[in-house]
Amino acid sequence: MEELSGWLKDFGAYDAELDRVAFTSRWVAAERGLESDRPDALFVDPFAKNLGGTSGMAFSEKIATMYEEMFGWRDWHRCWMAIRTKVLDEAITDFASSADGSRFQMVNLGAGLDTRAFRLECLADCSVCFEVDMPEVLRVKDHAMSALKAHSKCPRVPLAADVTDENLEAKLFAVGFDVKVPTFWLLEGLVMYLDPEPVKVLLGKLFALSAPGSKIACGFLGDPNMKMPPGAPLPPFICPPADFEELLRGYGWNNVRTAIFGDPEMNFGRYPVDRPPDTTQCFCFASRSGADVSCSAKIDTARSGSGNKV
């Protein structure tokens, strides 16, 4: 990977626009940058500090101070970002390895300022990586990555679309999505911002679009009693892990399992030994096997919502 000099690459007029349309993504990127600088880094993202910028770093400091007051753990969110990124990097790498030379594709929903298409070597074998987000986010991201002279490891297709759009399938097909090719679906920090019904429809729709061998990795908030900062409302979608697993199985996903922040596979020696696993932050992984119904029938089922309950 090409190393970048200095703390912040000047994006000119786009720097303020990055703040406006992708502020939380800048915060997350800044924390990936902090992890990348550690001598024991779980991963290295050579673009993260520049994408995060001074505003992302300042917000990370603000959040750290808040979490120290709330939880007595200043680096709670930074630790979660590092572990989350590492776990997903490994999941994508394992998926690519299992393809064993066969074609596969990746769809990153709510991609924000994610850089995996530019830094994961395993994606050199990926036929295409679709990054789905709002048009203004994709536009400023493309400018930023161009300014950083970043080159994607595989063909990368930005798709300007709302993930709750009822025509999401048609938009994916229009830019080259192949329903016959196994897909890795990445929903890293997305569903907690959606209402429950659109989440259910989306998860069913993704199964409908998945060829056998496809996998999904979906982050979600699992504690309905989670502590929030004073005055902050609960996010619209919170679902206990057992209920989330049932939701995925109801649409046909197989091999469903949940990993919780602090579990052995979401720890890497960073999680305090005196704390129980934190169900606030969870990831659910699942796959699709078999070929039971036609793609069109599955898509019709996904559109109907099929009555699953959260």
Side-chain angles (χ1 to χ4, degrees):
M1 299 179 183
E2 181 182 354
E3 292 296 326
L4 301 171
S5 60
W7 167 254
L8 176 65
K9 182 78 175 180
D10 181 13
F11 296 130
Y14 282 89
D15 198 63
E17 194 162 4
L18 274 167
D19 281 352
R20 184 178 67 83
V21 305
F23 187 74
T24 57
S25 291
R26 298 205 84 176
W27 164 34
V28 171
E31 295 190 344
R32 293 200 309 268
L34 288 173
E35 176 65 25
S36 298
D37 276 348
R38 289 177 57 130
D40 60 345
L42 297 178
F43 58 88
V44 175
D45 183 339
F47 312 107
K49 286 194 298 186
N50 290 290
L51 289 173
T54 54
S55 60
M57 191 62 237
F59 193 69
S60 176
E61 282 293 315
K62 180 178 180 179
I63 293 296
T65 299
M66 181 181 70
Y67 282 149
E68 185 171 29
E69 296 171 355
M70 290 176 59
F71 305 132
W73 184 8
R74 178 177 176 80
D75 287 335
W76 182 91
H77 194 269
R78 292 169 177 171
C79 182
W80 167 239
M81 284 299 103
I83 289 173
R84 180 178 96 172
T85 302
K86 174 66 171 177
V87 166
L88 293 176
D89 285 0
E90 289 188 343
I92 295 166
T93 299
D94 289 346
F95 180 77
S97 297
S98 69
D100 195 25
S102 299
R103 291 181 63 208
F104 69 93
Q105 59 196 355
M106 176 170 159
V107 180
N108 190 342
L109 294 164
L113 298 180
D114 182 75
T115 63
R116 289 184 176 91
F118 299 89
R119 65 178 179 82
L120 288 187
E121 295 295 339
C122 67
L123 292 181
D125 297 322
C126 182
S127 56
V128 59
C129 177
F130 301 96
E131 293 190 347
V132 183
D133 214 313
M134 304 307 287
E136 59 270 21
V137 175
L138 294 172
R139 181 171 59 84
V140 294
K141 178 181 180 178
D142 284 350
H143 179 89
M145 299 311 287
S146 177
L148 295 174
K149 298 181 172 58
H151 302 284
S152 60
K153 301 297 182 181
C154 65
R156 170 180 165 267
V157 177
L159 173 58
D162 186 330
V163 297
T164 64
D165 189 335
E166 64 178 11
N167 296 315
L168 179 62
E169 307 100 317
K171 291 182 177 181
L172 280 166
F173 289 139
V175 293
F177 178 85
D178 190 343
V179 75
K180 298 178 182 178
V181 174
T183 304
F184 190 98
W185 300 99
L186 178 59
L187 296 78
E188 186 169 8
L190 175 65
V191 302
M192 59 283 295
Y193 300 112
L194 306 178
D195 289 329
E197 190 60 29
V199 172
K200 292 189 289 183
V201 173
L202 178 62
L203 293 175
K205 186 176 293 188
L206 300 187
F207 179 79
L209 292 169
S210 294
S214 297
K215 294 191 176 182
I216 184 172
C218 183
F220 67 99
L221 303 177
D223 182 3
N225 299 311
M226 63 183 290
K227 188 176 181 180
M228 297 294 293
L234 284 170
F237 184 81
I238 303 175
C239 186
D243 293 347
F244 196 84
E245 291 181 1
E246 181 183 358
L247 180 64
L248 283 177
R249 291 191 185 99
Y251 282 115
W253 291 100
N254 311 116
N255 305 311
V256 181
R257 63 183 178 84
T258 298
I260 297 170
F261 185 28
D263 277 350
E265 70 175 299
M266 297 202 86
N267 191 315
F268 300 100
R270 298 287 184 83
Y271 197 86
V273 296
D274 60 342
R275 286 179 178 263
D278 187 346
T279 54
T280 300
Q281 299 290 353
C282 306
F283 258 88
C284 200
F285 301 89
S287 58
R288 180 180 186 273
S289 57
D292 47 359
V293 293
S294 70
C295 175
S296 60
K298 288 185 292 177
I299 290 175
D300 288 342
T301 300
R303 283 189 175 132
S304 73
S306 76
N308 285 287
K309 296 182 180 179
V310 176

